[in-house]
């Protein structure tokens, strides 16, 4: 008798804690909407991705396609976990009262836990179990809360899905805009050449300012709906690390590659500063939230290796050659300015490498301009654009 009395307190209390846990996670994931705050949703997304990585490696030919399923599957998995925990929580609340506070409308009342799960599940779907009915006021009120919870979760889930796919569409649109603006090369020098043809950035500055605004929106989309980070498409230009790299390299080349006198207004502009800050915030937040080892920039990373320095130098000089081909006046003292480029690059490169690796993208795909600097010298001259758009 003592156990029967105790279970009417312990089991409902445990069930209430499960229900509150789900409520809190739904609030933090859907309503509060901040990166890394979900008690269930955030770890679940991270562990789902970590499971997909080795599993997809078993099928090398189809690995990219399998990895692209991870993001979309995280959403029904999360909703399924919420539903299972809610059903289990309400079942624990109802279970001690089967046969007393909850009775069958006809015949004897089953008292096993499966019936409690059945009653909770039916109540949660707002259908209601017609063969069972609560008799106590407390249980009727709990039954009403259960039904209201099911309706609320359904509504919030549908709204959340719509918001995620809207944010994903905006993210992909911006990433594709960067890709095509760089002539599908992922080369910031190519993007700058298009923004300042014949060295005139006056006409291209509004587009640069648009990039700044959209990069800020890009960062905030990942901040509000972080699960979109794991929507990995087979095309690398949709990846957040690729978009951030092109934007950060664009600013680095503006600061370290353009002539100080002619382009001082551009170097000091708000748009350039906004692109830099938004891109760095994005990479730092994503790294801190999703990388298993946390933010690779805290503590400060080791200095770049001599091999990295050599690669970055080659990339810098190749970029300047390409910009000069476009009629852009580059900085007079390249030997001093290359140190500025190396310093700027050392502030963000470790983030890009870590994020790309986490998303199973090789760096030569994310950053082809650095992997093969000489490729820019083999591109068509810019005068070819006078008669051709290819």
């Amino acid at each position: 008798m003592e156990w029967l009395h105790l279970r009417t307190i312990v089991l409902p209390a445990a069930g209430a804690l499960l229900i509150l846990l789900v409520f809190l996670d739904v609030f933090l994931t859907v309503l509060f909407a901040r990166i890394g705050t979900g008690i269930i949703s955030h770890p679940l997304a991270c562990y789902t991705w970590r499971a997909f990585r080795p599993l997809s490696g078993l099928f090398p030919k189809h690995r990219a396609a399998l990895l692209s399923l991870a993001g979309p599957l995280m959403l029904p998995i999360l909703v399924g976990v919420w539903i299972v925990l809610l059903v289990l929580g309400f079942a624990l609340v109802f279970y001690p009262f089967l046969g007393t506070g909850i009775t069958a409308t006809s015949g004897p009342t089953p008292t096993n836990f499966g019936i409690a799960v059945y009653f909770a599940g039916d109540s949660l779907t707002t259908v209601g179990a017609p063969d069972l009915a609560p008799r106590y006021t407390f249980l009727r009120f709990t039954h009403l809360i259960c039904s209201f919870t099911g309706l609320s979760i359904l509504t919030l889930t549908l709204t959340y899905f719509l918001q995620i796919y809207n944010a994903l569409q905006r993210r992909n649109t911006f990433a594709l805009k960067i890709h095509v603006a760089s002539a599908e090369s992922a080369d910031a020098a190519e993007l700058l050449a298009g923004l300042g043809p014949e060295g005139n950035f006056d006409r291209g500055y509004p587009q640069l300012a648009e990039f700044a605004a959209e990069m800020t929106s890009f960062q905030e989309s990942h901040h509000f709906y972080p699960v979109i980070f794991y929507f990995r498409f087979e095309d690398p230009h949709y990846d957040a690390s690729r978009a951030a790299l092109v934007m950060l390299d664009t600013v680095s080349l503006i600061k370290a590659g353009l002539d100080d006198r002619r382009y001082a207004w551009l170097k000091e502009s708000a748009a350039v500063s906004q692109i830099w800050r938004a891109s760095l915030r994005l990479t730092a937040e994503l790294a801190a939230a999703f990388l298993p080892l946390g933010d690779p920039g805290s503590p400060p990373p080791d200095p770049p290796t001599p091999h990295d320095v050599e690669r970055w130098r080659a990339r810098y000089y190749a970029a300047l050659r390409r910009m000069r081909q476009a009629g852009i006046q580059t900085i007079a003292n390249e030997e001093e300015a290359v140190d500025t480029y190396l310093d700027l690059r050392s502030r963000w490169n470790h983030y890009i490498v870590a994020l790309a690796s986490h998303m199973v993208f090789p760096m030569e795909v994310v950053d082809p301009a650095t992997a093969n600097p000489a490729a820019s010298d083999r591109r068509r001259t810019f005068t070819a654009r006078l008669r051709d758009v290819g």
Side-chain angles (χ1 to χ4, degrees):
M1 290 297 292
E2 184 178 348
W3 159 242
L4 293 176
H5 177 70
L6 187 61
R7 77 171 191 168
T8 60
I9 300 175
V10 174
L11 295 184
L17 287 176
L18 275 181
I19 296 166
L20 288 175
L21 177 66
V22 176
F23 282 177
L24 183 58
D25 191 59
V26 171
F27 173 77
L28 293 174
T29 303
V30 181
L31 302 177
F32 188 68
R34 297 291 188 275
I35 190 169
T37 56
I39 297 174
I40 299 172
S41 60
H42 181 70
L44 184 64
C46 293
Y47 286 119
T48 300
W49 177 253
R50 292 176 197 177
F52 261 83
R53 287 184 59 182
L55 289 175
S56 64
L58 300 176
F59 308 93
K61 292 184 178 179
H62 306 287
R63 190 176 196 190
L66 291 173
L67 288 172
S68 68
L69 298 175
L73 283 176
M74 288 176 188
L75 300 180
I77 290 174
L78 174 60
V79 175
V81 169
W82 283 344
I83 292 174
V84 168
L85 291 179
L86 284 173
V87 169
L88 182 59
F90 279 108
L92 288 171
V93 173
F94 293 136
Y95 178 53
F97 301 99
L98 288 176
T100 55
I102 300 173
T103 58
T105 54
S106 61
T109 303
T111 57
N112 59 73
F113 187 70
I115 295 298
V117 172
Y118 160 72
F119 182 69
D122 264 10
S123 301
L124 198 66
T125 58
T126 71
V127 174
D131 47 347
L132 292 170
R135 305 301 180 186
Y136 300 158
T137 302
F138 158 73
L139 292 172
R140 288 172 180 169
F141 184 67
T142 304
H143 180 268
L144 180 63
I145 292 176
C146 185
S147 299
F148 180 74
T149 297
L151 181 63
S152 300
I153 292 295
L154 175 62
T155 304
L156 287 173
T157 296
L158 292 176
T159 304
Y160 181 56
F161 283 9
L162 289 174
Q163 290 172 334
I164 283 176
Y165 279 96
N166 284 335
L168 183 64
Q169 191 270 342
R170 292 193 301 271
R171 185 200 80 167
N172 285 3
T173 300
F174 177 57
L176 183 59
K177 185 181 293 187
I178 293 173
H179 181 61
V180 297
S182 68
E184 302 184 20
S185 66
D187 187 344
E190 202 75 21
L191 186 146
L192 283 171
L195 292 175
E198 301 301 325
N200 185 359
F201 281 94
D202 293 341
R203 303 295 184 187
Y205 183 77
Q207 186 172 357
L208 191 68
E210 183 181 333
F211 281 146
E214 293 199 37
M215 191 68 216
T216 305
S217 176
F218 189 82
Q219 184 264 331
E220 195 64 11
S221 292
H222 285 84
H223 186 68
F224 263 67
Y225 309 107
V227 72
I228 65 174
F229 174 65
Y230 282 132
F231 277 71
R232 181 199 187 276
F233 293 82
E234 295 185 53
D235 297 318
H237 57 261
Y238 288 119
D239 189 61
S241 62
R242 162 76 81 86
L245 178 140
V246 176
M247 289 289 93
L248 288 165
D249 204 26
T250 296
V251 175
S252 300
L253 289 175
I254 289 174
K255 295 288 188 179
L258 301 188
D259 181 70
D260 284 340
R261 286 189 176 182
R262 184 170 182 183
Y263 301 114
W265 66 271
L266 180 61
K267 293 186 172 190
E268 297 169 358
S269 66
V272 170
S273 176
Q274 186 176 348
I275 290 173
W276 176 265
R277 293 177 184 276
S279 302
L280 271 185
R281 285 175 64 91
L282 170 71
T283 54
E285 284 188 352
L286 292 179
F290 293 111
L291 297 185
L293 299 179
D295 186 349
S298 181
D302 295 330
T305 64
H307 176 66
D308 286 335
V309 170
E310 189 61 31
R311 290 170 59 248
W312 297 352
R313 281 178 173 272
R315 188 278 178 281
Y316 172 76
Y317 290 124
L320 264 56
R321 290 194 300 271
R322 187 60 174 168
M323 289 191 289
R324 282 195 294 269
Q325 290 176 19
I328 297 173
Q329 187 174 346
T330 58
I331 200 162
N333 194 333
E334 294 181 5
E335 290 303 319
E336 287 185 6
V338 70
D339 292 332
T340 301
Y341 179 79
L342 296 176
D343 174 64
L344 292 173
R345 178 130 192 177
S346 66
R347 301 184 198 181
W348 53 262
N349 191 78
H350 53 285
Y351 286 116
I352 303 299
V353 171
L355 290 171
S357 175
H358 187 62
M359 296 306 293
V360 199
F361 279 118
M363 278 305 295
E364 56 267 24
V365 171
V366 173
D367 187 14
T370 302
N372 186 14
S376 63
D377 297 324
R378 296 191 293 270
R379 295 185 193 132
R380 296 183 312 158
T381 61
F382 287 97
T383 54
R385 296 187 180 186
L386 291 172
R387 299 289 180 268
D388 192 7
V389 294

